[in-house]
Amino acid sequence: QVQVVESGGGLVQAGGSVRLSCIASGLTFDDHAMGWFRQAPGKQREAVSCISWGGYNTYYYVASAKDRFVISRDNDKNTLYLQMKDLKPEDTAMYYCAARTGNPEHQCPSTSPSESAFGYWGQGTQVTVSS
């Protein structure tokens, strides 16, 4: 049984930093590209970032994230990370970790993917940025 568990969210002031973590079990972690999505209140869930199976390729689908967020992974620990800095109130959202299951599952989509490209999801971790 695949389990995906996020952690690291919380309340942070604007301009602050947060590192999200995600541990995935029950799957061969390094077979899968991994992604972060977020869903703000009243909005659709959107793809934030993705990292390929070996960490060689990273994608940032939200323009404002490219200069402030860093996605990384540790395959020895089955763990995905999202380091976020200079946080803004508009970054407030539930952040979800997901494992790619579309074809090819080890690579990230080159353009902002739909949720259907990822088959294993965590329950999310809330990030709230106060102004």
Side-chain angles (χ1 to χ4, degrees), residues 50-131:
C50 181
I51 186 167
S52 63
W53 67 277
Y56 304 113
N57 297 297
T58 58
Y59 296 81
Y60 298 92
Y61 304 112
V62 176
S64 65
K66 292 178 181 178
D67 298 326
R68 300 184 295 119
F69 295 1
V70 177
I71 190 171
S72 62
R73 65 191 294 162
D74 185 337
N75 287 346
D76 290 336
K77 296 181 179 179
N78 282 19
T79 303
L80 174 73
Y81 303 99
L82 185 68
Q83 178 70 51
M84 304 187 290
K85 68 176 184 179
D86 191 22
L87 284 161
K88 306 176 186 302
E90 51 265 40
D91 294 317
T92 293
M94 185 71 80
Y95 284 74
Y96 298 90
C97 169
R100 176 111 161 94
T101 51
N103 185 27
E105 64 183 16
H106 61 292
Q107 296 289 1
C108 296
S110 57
T111 58
S112 185
S114 67
E115 297 177 34
S116 62
F118 292 76
Y120 300 120
W121 292 82
Q123 293 299 307
T125 185
Q126 177 70 36
V127 175
T128 302
V129 184
S130 63
S131 57

Side-chain angles (χ1 to χ4, degrees), residues 1-15:
Q1 182 180 356
V2 176
Q3 287 191 318
V4 178
V5 180
E6 304 94 337
S7 63
L11 176 63
V12 61
Q13 288 187 332

